[in-house]
Amino acid sequence: MRYALLIGVIVLASAGLVRAGDPIEEAAALPTAEALLKLEGLLEQADAGKRARDVLRIRRHLGRLYVAAGQPYAALVHLESAADAGLDGEHAIDRLHYAEALLAVAKQNIQNQGMGRNVNPFLRDALTAAGQTGDFEGRAARTALLRRKHLVLVEAYYLLGELVPAAKAWDTASKQLDPVGPRLEDLLARVRYAQRRWAEAGEAFERAGNELGAAAAWDAARKPERSVPIYARRIAADPSNAGLLSQALRGVRYTGAHAALLEALEVIDVPAAAAGIELLLARAELLEASTRAAEALPLLRDAADRDKQDARALLQLARLIVLAGDAAAESMWDWAADAYAQAIGRDPESTAAMEGLSWIASRDYGRLWNTWRDARVTRRCVFVQVALVEALPDDALAWMNLGNTLRVLGRTEEALKAYERAIEANPFDPAVRSD
């Protein structure tokens, strides 16, 4: 009898049925990278030995580990085999893992390539696989499994743009799960947002704990009384976050709640040095939108002084002065010219700075012909023309304009040198030669 039992154990072990000291389970319990390497080796051995059951067990582990490692493509072949086999009565769970891997592949393709033919088939297969799992009756972790299933169904429909089925899948989930959980609430919010049901999206985003999603939805619903407090709270916690400030500004541009956001931002301490630039720029924009542009100017000068490589504050400062037109004092026009010149020094490719300098040059050049000539305007006109030729040394028109300016001022020799540079830049332009 003793020998018979021993022979039985040997036979079972050779069939891969004994789990005690099981090398497959031991390998699967290792850290992910090490587990994958070990299991791939065991798979090769099991395949060579034609141990079909062990092959399926190893593939199941490999598939789940590859998904966890962010390599869903590598997981598919393993999980598909395990799902088709339904080993140990785990067919439903294996199908769920396969569905999750298919969804992960689709999302990876969207991230890398956008929607297209490499996405939809994976989403359709994910829906099919998730639909084959049943309701996990009798499972100890039934609620968690159901939640994972519904996440696949709702997200796959959402990514396919099939919003009505996505909403129906979510309704089914809400009847089976209490609570549905933040991830499903977030998906519902995205579905409602895509359906342009902004207020419902805002409520769902808030239940999901996605404050910025909620703020965007409340903006779309034109409910700044709900969105602005969110922005104020988040910006107070992270006042140098450019993305956050940008979203808040986009929101109030749409809702018109500039004054409300400005009031919230004015009580927030500006971070030191360059970290405070974003908040200063945001306040300046809000002041301008609230018809308080004059109050924005010192903020912009402060921002410009904090980072000598950042041209944004200079451009915004100069633009405000130019927009004020003749109402701005001549000293302010000097500021604008200097700001545009500095902006080009910081960003030689800045089209806005080039256009600003050209506009000031054109304005001042027209005033040089007055019988009574303002020395400040004269100085600024030359300064701007020189800044343009320094930024565009091969531009014949810039040199020609400088020559014209110097000629009007009676600075003939300097004008001739500028014209010579214009001819060198474009010797075949008759307009250049005629001047």
Side-chain angles (χ1 to χ4, degrees), residues 174-350:
S174 68
K175 293 172 184 175
Q176 293 184 321
L177 301 168
D178 185 22
V180 296
R183 286 185 62 195
L184 273 168
E185 288 285 12
D186 194 77
L187 277 173
L188 173 67
R190 294 173 192 278
V191 171
R192 295 303 187 217
Y193 195 95
Q195 292 176 318
R196 305 175 72 84
R197 294 162 66 172
W198 316 121
E200 292 177 53
E203 297 289 359
F205 274 131
E206 287 192 351
R207 291 195 298 271
N210 184 343
E211 284 196 315
L212 293 183
W218 293 128
D219 284 335
R222 294 189 184 276
K223 291 184 177 293
E225 68 276 9
R226 299 289 296 269
S227 61
V228 170
I230 295 174
Y231 291 134
R233 183 168 59 253
R234 295 294 293 263
I235 293 169
D238 189 5
S240 59
N241 187 323
L244 175 58
L245 285 159
S246 177
Q247 180 179 335
L249 291 172
R250 284 197 306 272
V252 296
R253 286 177 203 138
Y254 184 69
T255 62
H258 301 90
L261 183 60
L262 176 60
E263 183 180 355
L265 298 193
E266 283 182 325
V267 300
I268 298 174
D269 291 334
V270 178
I277 291 176
E278 302 299 337
L279 184 56
L280 289 169
L281 291 175
R283 284 185 183 173
E285 178 177 330
L286 293 169
L287 284 165
E288 180 187 356
S290 303
T291 66
R292 296 163 57 187
E295 297 175 56
L297 298 180
L299 298 184
L300 293 171
R301 289 181 69 85
D302 183 3
D305 290 340
R306 288 171 179 246
D307 185 348
K308 300 305 182 183
Q309 303 302 314
D310 193 333
R312 291 174 300 160
L314 291 168
L315 290 173
Q316 195 170 338
L317 171 68
R319 184 182 60 81
L320 286 180
I321 295 170
V322 169
L323 286 175
D326 291 337
E330 287 302 326
S331 60
M332 300 298 288
W333 281 93
D334 289 343
W335 275 19
D338 185 59
Y340 278 135
Q342 286 189 55
I344 288 179
R346 297 181 185 190
D347 180 10
E349 303 297 322
S350 174

Side-chain angles (χ1 to χ4, degrees), residues 58-298:
I58 295 168
R59 286 192 181 281
R60 174 187 284 166
H61 283 303
L62 280 171
R64 296 177 186 183
L65 286 168
Y66 274 122
V67 170
Q71 301 177 56
Y73 263 116
L76 287 183
V77 64
H78 300 299
L79 291 175
E80 185 175 19
S81 297
D84 289 342
L87 192 66
D88 296 334
E90 297 293 309
H91 175 78
I93 295 177
D94 286 333
R95 296 303 291 178
L96 177 58
H97 279 287
Y98 182 48
E100 290 173 328
L102 288 162
L103 178 61
V105 168
K107 290 166 69 175
Q108 197 171 78
N109 286 349
I110 292 170
Q111 184 177 1
N112 295 335
Q113 308 163 17
M115 289 295 292
R117 62 183 181 179
N118 291 328
V119 173
N120 286 11
F122 291 105
L123 294 173
R124 294 289 176 202
D125 288 348
L127 288 170
T128 300
Q132 294 171 342
T133 59
D135 288 338
F136 304 104
E137 291 290 349
R139 295 283 180 183
R142 180 171 182 260
T143 299
L145 293 169
L146 280 172
R147 183 170 285 112
R148 288 167 56 190
K149 170 188 173 176
H150 290 305
L151 280 167
V152 172
L153 293 172
V154 176
E155 188 163 14
Y157 278 127
Y158 168 69
L159 292 175
L160 284 165
E162 298 178 8
L163 303 179
V164 173
K168 287 182 178 178
W170 192 92
D171 288 339
T172 301
S174 68
K175 293 172 184 175
Q176 293 184 321
L177 301 168
D178 185 22
V180 296
R183 286 185 62 195
L184 273 168
E185 288 285 12
D186 194 77
L187 277 173
L188 173 67
R190 294 173 192 278
V191 171
R192 295 303 187 217
Y193 195 95
Q195 292 176 318
R196 305 175 72 84
R197 294 162 66 172
W198 316 121
E200 292 177 53
E203 297 289 359
F205 274 131
E206 287 192 351
R207 291 195 298 271
N210 184 343
E211 284 196 315
L212 293 183
W218 293 128
D219 284 335
R222 294 189 184 276
K223 291 184 177 293
E225 68 276 9
R226 299 289 296 269
S227 61
V228 170
I230 295 174
Y231 291 134
R233 183 168 59 253
R234 295 294 293 263
I235 293 169
D238 189 5
S240 59
N241 187 323
L244 175 58
L245 285 159
S246 177
Q247 180 179 335
L249 291 172
R250 284 197 306 272
V252 296
R253 286 177 203 138
Y254 184 69
T255 62
H258 301 90
L261 183 60
L262 176 60
E263 183 180 355
L265 298 193
E266 283 182 325
V267 300
I268 298 174
D269 291 334
V270 178
I277 291 176
E278 302 299 337
L279 184 56
L280 289 169
L281 291 175
R283 284 185 183 173
E285 178 177 330
L286 293 169
L287 284 165
E288 180 187 356
S290 303
T291 66
R292 296 163 57 187
E295 297 175 56
L297 298 180

